[in-house]
Amino acid sequence: MGSSPGTSRSKRAQFLRAALPCLALTTLGSAPTAAQSLTPDLFNPNRGGFASPETLPTRRTAGVPQAPSDALPALPDPSADPRKRQQTPATSRIGQVPTYGLPAATGASGSGYDSLNRKRQQPKLYPGQPKPKRAAGPGSPVPTTAPPPSTLGLPRIAPPPSASANKAPVPAAMAGTVPGQPQRRRLKADDDAFGAVGDYAGSFLIKGGLELSTGYDTNPARLNKPIGSPLYVVAPDLVVMSDWERHALVADLRGSFSGYTNNMPATIGGFASPSPVEIDRPDFNGHVDGRLDVDRDLKLTTQLRLRLATDNPGSPNVQAGLQKYPVYAAYGTTVGFDQSFNRFQVAAGATVDRTAYTDSKLTDGSTFSNNDRDFNQYGGIGRFSYDLKPGLKPFVEIQGDTRVHDLAADRNGYFRDSNGGYAKVGSSFEFSRILTGEISVGYSARNYTDPRLSQLAGFLTSGSLIWNASGLTTVKFFTDTQIAETTIPGSSGVLVRTYSAEVDHDFRRWLTAVGKFTYGTLDYQGQNRNDKTYSFESNLIYKLNRNIWVKGTLRHDILDSNQAGSSSQGTVVMVGVRLQN
């Protein structure tokens, strides 16, 4: 059965459409062609499925980390939520759709405002670990910053040469890096690496020491013709300080006992010796100071004091023919207040003191009473100061007292009850912690009930200056004026002025040299007797550690008097050890 003409023409048209492209490719192509084999990749719908991975133009090169599969990464789904899209490290950004902006609450971290209202994550703390303080927010007070060390009186500590300098390892327990360990209290800067540390008893800091020395004194009795003797000195001291936020209580107790192995002769040139036979001398000086802070501007103050001593060797107050020195005790109290009115400050107090002597023991075995030297003193003191500017505080001080003796007349028949006082003006200052102290000048006078005793008056100076010349050298200066009682017939009293200069130098922190010079005058008014004293002293201190010091002392004393036979000289050489805590 033959085909129709229409059908034959359509078949011929389809054949020509398929053959013409093949004929064109055959004519243009210069290389031989090969048939393509049927592989599973032909049915792979992914890009690059018709070519092997090693022939791809975007294949990986050497040196680039290879992914588990060499197939190209899948394109992200454009219809997916960008907040839920997983961000994975991409080997190539070709063909990926970038994402702009940050999801909500991305920067809230574990604190701050979270728009998604998610629960904050609380930090996990070790047992015993203190809770961290919350960061200061709006409305919080500005934190106070500590002043630089120079304004606190602390030494400037040089930083290490480098942050990476070689340092000795610190145990974790001392460094405070043990997990769960409470934070350690930060230690204060120590200005004395070999000073006493002390022990705490409750809220009190206790520092104690004991100094033991031995040596030789060429003239311990300060006679005109020297007689020497070996000596030993035992000197304990105790300091107790309160550690309270308000109020204060401080006790400072220091004493010494000087013992001599040789006795002095009872007679010199056929007369009773002006020196005792036994020249051992005790000395104690202690005071307890208290302060009660009523409020910011008002403070109540009090002091208890005690002094145990003897007359100085070579003094005309020492009786002839003594077996040993009589000991006197001077004790008393002061009760007062300290009120501040902005920069103006008023301090006042009432004083009560008592001086009592023991009986004198003579070489013949008898005793002699010293009741005529015992007296009570009642007085008051006031001080007015003004903070002119930081580091400068001028003041005016006035003092008055009355002395009443147990016996109206002394051993020579003089009535020594008196009234007296002083007035002085000065200033306390502090210049960059280099020069600190206080200095004042004034006038002192004392009138006696006995008309035969003239008024005891004179110019007075008092002060204490400390000059930190360098980090290793310190210069100190002290001056003081006192009116002392005397038993010399016809003499009103003794006007005593003392001037002292001291230089401390640290060759090393453990090796210190101290040089000291003291000059004094003793004016016995009414008797035209004037004594001058000179003292040259040098000390060398070797500090083994905080608890043990070794000390050497060399001192030369000179007493120059206008009275014949009263001048003397003496040299003291001692070596000792100091034990402290």
Side-chain angles (χ1 to χ4, degrees):
M1 183 176 180
S3 60
S4 64
T7 303
S8 299
R9 283 195 300 267
S10 63
K11 290 182 178 180
R12 285 194 299 266
Q14 294 178 359
F15 174 78
L16 289 177
R17 283 196 299 268
L20 286 176
C22 294
L23 181 61
L25 292 176
T26 303
T27 305
L28 297 176
S30 60
T33 59
Q36 186 176 6
S37 60
L38 183 62
T39 61
D41 295 334
L42 296 177
F43 302 97
N44 188 354
N46 296 328
R47 184 177 57 179
F50 292 94
S52 56
E54 60 271 11
T55 60
L56 289 176
T58 57
R59 67 183 184 276
R60 301 181 186 275
T61 59
V64 180
Q66 299 296 328
S69 176
D70 290 330
L72 293 178
L75 296 176
D77 187 4
S79 61
D81 189 353
R83 292 179 298 179
K84 300 180 180 180
R85 182 176 301 166
Q86 297 292 336
Q87 298 292 337
T88 58
T91 57
S92 176
R93 293 181 295 176
I94 299 176
Q96 294 192 12
V97 179
T99 302
Y100 300 99
L102 295 176
T106 300
S109 184
S111 61
Y113 176 73
D114 188 354
S115 60
L116 299 181
N117 197 22
R118 293 177 297 190
K119 185 178 181 181
R120 297 180 183 178
Q121 295 181 358
Q122 300 297 332
K124 295 183 179 180
L125 303 177
Y126 293 100
Q129 182 180 357
K131 295 183 178 180
K133 296 182 179 180
R134 290 187 176 181
S140 300
V142 178
T144 58
T145 58
S150 59
T151 61
L152 295 174
L154 304 178
R156 296 182 179 271
I157 302 176
S162 173
S164 60
N166 186 18
K167 303 179 181 65
V170 180
M174 296 183 62
T177 57
V178 177
Q181 179 184 4
Q183 292 182 350
R184 295 172 59 89
R185 179 184 297 178
R186 188 172 184 178
L187 300 178
K188 299 180 180 178
D190 193 354
D191 56 350
D192 189 358
F194 292 89
V197 179
D199 295 318
Y200 274 95
S203 59
F204 289 91
L205 176 61
I206 303 175
K207 296 183 179 181
L210 176 63
E211 190 169 331
L212 305 174
S213 305
T214 183
Y216 189 83
D217 192 341
T218 60
N219 191 6
R222 299 300 183 261
L223 300 174
N224 185 255
K225 295 182 178 180
I227 300 177
S229 172
L231 82 156
Y232 62 91
V233 178
V234 180
D237 59 83
L238 177 66
V239 178
V240 181
M241 298 177 291
S242 62
D243 189 9
W244 303 333
E245 294 184 358
R246 296 185 57 197
H247 320 304
L249 183 63
V250 179
D252 189 351
L253 311 176
R254 303 177 185 274
S256 66
F257 180 82
S258 301
Y260 299 85
T261 58
N262 296 344
N263 292 335
M264 300 294 104
T267 59
I268 297 178
F271 298 94
S273 173
S275 167
V277 176
E278 302 175 10
I279 54 177
D280 298 343
R281 293 185 293 115
D283 193 350
F284 176 82
N285 190 4
H287 59 90
V288 179
D289 301 324
R291 188 190 77 240
L292 180 63
D293 299 337
V294 179
D295 55 30
R296 187 188 65 177
D297 298 326
L298 177 61
K299 301 176 179 61
L300 302 181
T301 59
T302 182
Q303 183 187 73
L304 300 175
R305 50 187 173 270
L306 171 63
R307 175 73 191 277
L308 291 175
T310 65
D311 291 324
N312 294 325
S315 171
N317 294 328
V318 179
Q319 296 174 258
L322 288 176
Q323 180 64 26
K324 59 182 180 180
Y325 288 109
V327 180
Y328 73 87
Y331 51 93
T333 181
T334 299
V335 179
F337 68 91
D338 190 340
Q339 176 69 51
S340 298
F341 303 93
N342 200 353
R343 292 187 177 185
F344 185 69
Q345 186 176 3
V346 178
T351 62
V352 178
D353 292 276
R354 166 77 175 171
T355 301
Y357 283 79
T358 60
D359 294 340
S360 298
K361 185 178 180 180
L362 306 179
T363 54
D364 58 3
S366 61
T367 58
F368 184 84
S369 176
N370 290 312
N371 291 343
D372 59 334
R373 303 185 67 180
D374 300 344
F375 66 92
N376 297 327
Q377 177 175 303
Y378 312 94
I381 184 172
R383 181 166 178 158
F384 309 92
S385 58
Y386 183 79
D387 283 328
L388 187 60
K389 63 179 182 179
L392 186 61
K393 189 175 183 179
F395 66 86
V396 175
E397 184 173 315
I398 302 174
Q399 186 266 349
D401 62 73
T402 299
R403 294 179 180 178
V404 180
H405 288 73
D406 292 359
L407 301 180
D410 66 357
R411 63 195 66 184
N412 298 308
Y414 287 88
F415 300 93
R416 293 193 172 274
D417 291 347
S418 62
N419 299 316
Y422 65 82
K424 61 182 180 180
V425 58
S427 176
S428 60
F429 47 84
E430 177 181 352
F431 300 127
S432 302
R433 301 298 300 175
I434 296 178
L435 182 62
T436 60
E438 177 181 304
I439 190 168
S440 61
V441 295
Y443 189 80
S444 178
R446 180 165 294 278
N447 298 315
Y448 294 85
T449 57
D450 196 322
R452 295 172 294 175
L453 300 177
S454 61
Q455 183 188 51
L456 179 60
F459 179 76
L460 66 86
T461 60
S462 63
S464 173
L465 302 178
I466 300 178
W467 174 37
N468 295 314
S470 67
L472 301 177
T473 304
T474 303
V475 181
K476 303 176 183 178
F477 177 77
F478 305 96
T479 178
D480 191 22
T481 304
Q482 298 288 337
I483 294 181
E485 297 285 324
T486 184
T487 59
I488 299 178
S491 177
S492 303
V494 188
L495 187 63
V496 183
R497 297 186 180 95
T498 306
Y499 309 91
S500 177
E502 178 181 326
V503 179
D504 301 352
H505 180 73
D506 294 336
F507 296 102
R508 295 290 187 272
R509 291 300 181 187
W510 44 266
L511 184 62
T512 303
V514 181
K516 186 176 182 180
F517 171 72
T518 303
Y519 171 74
T521 60
L522 295 88
D523 184 10
Y524 295 84
Q525 294 191 3
Q527 284 296 310
N528 295 324
R529 173 169 179 167
N530 296 305
D531 294 349
K532 297 180 180 179
T533 61
Y534 306 88
S535 179
F536 305 87
E537 181 178 349
S538 60
N539 298 276
L540 187 63
I541 304 174
Y542 177 70
K543 304 174 183 179
L544 297 176
N545 50 46
R546 285 187 180 272
N547 304 112
I548 303 177
W549 294 5
V550 179
K551 180 180 179 181
T553 302
L554 175 62
R555 188 178 77 246
H556 184 70
D557 299 332
I558 300 175
L559 174 60
D560 184 12
S561 177
N562 61 353
Q563 298 291 324
S566 298
S567 300
S568 64
Q569 295 188 26
T571 302
V572 181
V573 179
M574 290 192 302
V575 62
V577 60
R578 175 177 174 80
L579 308 176
Q580 64 182 15
N581 183 30

